[in-house]
Amino acid sequence: MQRQHVEKPWCRYADDGLVHCKTRIEAETLLEELKQRFAECGLELHSDKTRIVCCNVKDKQYPTKSFDFLGYTFRPRLVTNQQNNTLFIGFTPAVSKTAVKAMRQETKRCKWHLRSELSLEEIAQSYNPVLKGWFNYYGKYTPDGLRPVARHFNNVLVKWVMRKYLRFKGHKIKAIRYLENIAQNSPNLFAHWQQSKGFVVV
């Protein structure tokens, strides 16, 4: 890339990479050159991950319109113009479904709903670094994409309340209202409450 394609913007992280081309023909030619170069080094491009994606939202001819990179999915989305508050279709990133699934699985793995020996403050102190990391990284673009992660952890907290306090056993609605009250009075207790501006269970 540095010797033969200095005019093309490109980036990589470990073994993942992106190259921006101006035309489809340019992209197809570069892909063949990359395959040949990798073969010379005894390597090959990943057949499932390597493909040409059209980022022009107005181009209806090229079928592939999205790709995943570093936990983000880049695809056409409805975007708000910050200058005049109008909506338009732009090619923008948001947290990928794979990343959302991984975050939910990590929360399940911790089994916070079973940790009735802990206080709510102790759970927050222990898990807030993880939540902050997720929201700081994946929330930089299209933060609404993290709502499923916040809702999932809120549901875990509801189960924790129902297990810890006998008066809430079997009373999910009351447990939700109990946590809503805490979130209203202490919105900074959990990192995802700060980011999602409240407590929501759906």
Side-chain angles (χ1 to χ4, degrees):
M1 294 302 300
Q2 291 176 347
R3 290 198 310 267
Q4 301 181 27
H5 298 280
V6 292
E7 78 286 356
K8 295 182 179 65
W10 72 289
C11 62
R12 76 173 182 88
Y13 182 84
D15 61 347
D16 286 336
L18 298 172
V19 182
H20 296 267
C21 299
K22 293 181 179 179
T23 66
R24 178 176 178 176
I25 294 177
E26 189 178 87
E28 291 173 344
T29 301
L30 176 62
L31 180 57
E32 290 304 315
E33 291 184 23
L34 288 173
K35 288 180 180 179
Q36 294 176 15
R37 178 58 178 153
F38 269 61
E40 292 172 1
C41 299
L43 303 169
E44 62 180 346
L45 296 172
H46 196 293
S47 58
D48 294 333
K49 293 183 178 180
T50 306
R51 62 189 185 279
I52 297 173
V53 177
C54 180
C55 301
N56 185 348
V57 296
K58 296 181 180 180
D59 189 339
K60 306 298 182 182
Q61 297 181 347
Y62 207 78
T64 307
K65 289 287 187 179
S66 70
F67 65 90
D68 285 4
F69 186 61
L70 302 183
Y72 279 93
T73 295
F74 294 74
R75 66 171 178 82
R77 303 175 195 275
L78 199 61
V79 181
T80 302
N81 187 318
Q82 299 299 326
Q83 295 181 344
N84 54 24
N85 207 34
T86 59
L87 297 176
F88 67 97
I89 301 296
F91 199 89
T92 59
V95 60
S96 69
K97 292 181 180 179
T98 301
V100 169
K101 182 179 180 180
M103 286 183 274
R104 289 166 60 106
Q105 287 178 338
E106 174 62 19
T107 297
K108 288 181 180 179
R109 186 190 66 79
C110 293
K111 298 181 179 179
W112 293 114
H113 64 291
L114 300 178
R115 302 296 304 275
S116 56
E117 80 281 5
L118 298 177
S119 67
L120 202 60
E121 290 74 16
E122 287 172 328
I123 294 176
Q125 183 178 8
S126 179
Y127 212 47
N128 267 343
V130 176
L131 295 170
K132 286 180 180 178
W134 289 343
F135 277 83
N136 287 341
Y137 180 74
Y138 292 110
K140 187 172 181 61
Y141 305 100
T142 320
D144 285 352
L146 284 167
R147 284 182 178 177
V149 177
R151 284 198 301 265
H152 177 254
F153 189 54
N154 284 339
N155 275 295
V156 169
L157 293 178
V158 170
K159 293 179 181 178
W160 173 85
V161 170
M162 294 170 66
R163 182 182 180 87
K164 185 174 181 67
Y165 302 107
L166 290 177
R167 69 182 185 276
F168 293 121
K169 185 176 181 180
H171 298 284
K172 183 176 181 180
I173 299 300
K174 291 182 179 180
I176 291 173
R177 290 174 178 169
Y178 172 77
L179 283 170
E180 285 177 340
N181 185 59
I182 293 177
Q184 185 176 1
N185 293 323
S186 304
N188 295 324
L189 180 58
F190 283 98
H192 70 297
W193 288 0
Q194 301 171 29
Q195 298 293 332
S196 58
K197 297 180 181 179
F199 182 89
V200 179
V201 175
V202 178

